[in-house]
Amino acid sequence: MPTPTIVVLGGDQTGQELLDEALRVLAPEVVGFELGFEFFDLSLERRRATHNAVVHEAAAAMRRTKLGLKAATITPEGNGDVGSPNAILRQEIDGKVIVRTGRRIPNIRPVAGIHAPISVVRMAVGDAYGAKEWRESEHGDEVAYRTERIERSVCRVVADYSFFHARRSSAKVFGGPKYTVSPVYEGMLKEEMDAAARRYPDVAYEPQLIDATYALLISSAGDTPLVIPTLNRDGDCMSDLVMQLFGSIAGAESTVMSFTSELKPDVVMTEAPHGTAPRLFGKNIANPMAMILAAAALLTFVDDRRAATASRAVYEAVFETVRGGLATSDLGGHASTTEFTDAVVGTVKSKLDVWSTL
């Protein structure tokens, strides 16, 4: 069996520091098998020096290997600069879906009694992002316009993967777009959700308007795992809310996927959902949890049965470490970045050693 190869996309400030910690967890002496790595420097300095050529090279490598692990990067604000590498990467790997799962972190009190996992399956392209915008003067007033678009093929992927993910995680597909106000535009996603529900009759389905979804998340008992399919803009907002419902952004990873014509995941890129945290840079105090979880998530897509076992070991090790009282300052602890990773590495090794005897 050929060695699986992960394209490693370097980043900026603490983004790069936390990527380095995640790579420690993927070392062969930790996970128990060999992984290959191709490295690309996506730091702002390098992107500017190459006029984003390095981003295109990284995307081409991911299309070949099907696997990518990305650090947080800086997106400059000025017009005419290199912009967001995420937008380029998603476009070039044909990313259709972004999945972020909020989950309870041991010793951290969630909001409103939420404790069952909530996954947001977000449209990765179109909608408000990349929309054509312009302004005109009308009757002495300034009027702004925006033309957005979504595609049925993308709506179908979002809906189908939502039900697939819900079946795999014994969850309910919940929520949806504001199709009553926008039956033509937002209604397209609702139509595909209803069609997917017919293909997955064994999956619980409770469609809700997006505003009701927000309200019900805050007021519900929070004891049922949920999967929420969303448009791009809605999903951006919803995933931020969901992660904070669990008390911290630290317990989640972000997964970008493209799909085959059979609606199977093709190219997969995982990353932490947070930014580069410049005030923490160089202090060895940033929380590496989300980046380590991104590595664990990527292992589930590696075509090697050992990878799935290693992924579970990493997930369990991360949360057991926090449960045992070792955490960084953002979660009320005193551990350094490297101390936390050291503990995770040790626990993964121990788990895999014990499991191999059973």
Side-chain angles (χ1 to χ4, degrees):
M1 180 180 293
T3 301
T5 300
I6 295 173
V7 175
V8 180
L9 311 172
D12 295 293
Q13 298 168 343
T14 53
Q16 181 61 43
E17 292 179 340
L18 299 181
L19 174 63
D20 292 339
E21 297 299 309
L23 291 174
R24 291 175 56 201
V25 178
L26 293 178
E29 62 270 20
V30 179
V31 295
F33 66 102
E34 289 285 342
L35 288 164
F37 299 97
E38 291 185 28
F39 294 88
F40 292 85
D41 179 6
L42 266 57
S43 66
L44 180 58
E45 180 181 14
R46 182 63 180 161
R47 282 180 279 136
R48 282 172 169 165
T50 64
H51 303 286
N52 275 333
V54 66
V55 184
H56 296 281
E57 292 166 6
M62 280 195 291
R63 291 197 300 271
R64 174 169 43 82
T65 70
K66 307 300 184 182
L67 299 168
L69 182 65
K70 181 183 175 296
T73 48
I74 294 172
T75 298
E77 296 181 1
N79 292 329
D81 210 326
V82 289
S84 169
N86 290 334
I88 297 173
L89 293 170
R90 291 172 190 171
Q91 179 178 4
E92 295 216 353
I93 68 171
D94 195 27
K96 293 288 196 299
V97 164
I98 304 170
V99 182
R100 291 182 178 176
T101 299
R103 55 180 72 87
R104 189 177 65 84
I105 303 172
N107 303 330
I108 303 299
R109 172 178 282 186
V111 174
I114 296 288
H115 60 271
I118 302 173
S119 296
V120 178
V121 180
R122 168 189 167 190
M123 186 180 292
V125 293
D127 197 32
Y129 300 86
K132 180 182 177 182
E133 296 183 327
W134 71 97
R135 295 178 183 177
E136 296 179 3
S137 178
E138 294 183 6
H139 309 295
D141 198 2
E142 187 177 27
V143 181
Y145 293 90
R146 181 169 69 195
T147 302
E148 304 173 8
R149 59 172 280 163
I150 56 174
E151 301 168 21
R152 184 170 292 278
S153 60
V154 179
C155 292
R156 183 171 299 125
V157 168
V158 170
D160 195 84
Y161 190 79
S162 295
F163 278 84
F164 170 80
H165 187 68
R167 173 187 282 172
R168 185 174 60 179
S169 54
S170 301
K172 175 197 294 183
V173 175
F174 182 80
K178 189 82 169 180
Y179 61 90
T180 53
V181 172
S182 177
V184 174
Y185 182 88
E186 301 199 22
M188 185 179 287
L189 176 57
K190 176 61 163 50
E191 291 164 8
E192 291 301 328
M193 289 167 57
D194 292 343
R198 293 189 289 272
R199 294 193 295 272
Y200 292 83
D202 56 316
V203 176
Y205 177 42
E206 185 180 337
Q208 297 284 349
L209 300 178
I210 186 65
D211 50 344
T213 303
Y214 279 107
L216 290 168
L217 286 178
I218 298 296
S219 60
S220 69
D223 54 0
T224 302
L226 301 176
V227 176
I228 305 174
T230 68
L231 298 169
N232 201 347
R233 174 70 175 270
D234 288 346
D236 196 356
C237 300
M238 179 66 72
S239 51
D240 284 353
L241 170 72
V242 163
M243 287 184 287
Q244 291 302 328
L245 284 176
F246 292 92
S248 173
I249 198 173
E253 69 284 346
S254 184
T255 304
V256 181
M257 288 180 281
S258 69
F259 290 81
T260 67
S261 57
E262 292 79 29
L263 302 183
K264 304 296 183 184
D266 186 25
V267 181
V268 179
M269 181 182 75
T270 62
E271 58 189 324
H274 55 65
T276 59
R279 65 183 181 83
L280 305 180
F281 180 49
K283 297 179 180 179
N284 196 29
I285 60 173
N287 190 343
M289 275 183 64
M291 198 67 232
I292 294 174
L293 292 174
L298 191 64
L299 286 175
T300 65
F301 295 92
V302 173
D303 187 19
D304 188 318
R305 61 179 180 80
R306 297 170 296 178
T309 303
S311 174
R312 174 159 187 164
V314 174
Y315 272 110
E316 290 188 6
V318 166
F319 292 107
E320 286 179 12
T321 298
V322 178
R323 179 67 178 83
L326 186 67
T328 48
S329 59
D330 60 308
L331 297 182
H334 303 284
S336 69
T337 305
T338 52
E339 286 171 343
F340 185 87
T341 307
D342 288 344
V344 171
V345 165
T347 304
V348 172
K349 287 181 176 180
S350 177
K351 282 179 176 292
L352 293 177
D353 187 37
V354 171
W355 292 351
S356 70
T357 70
L358 300 177

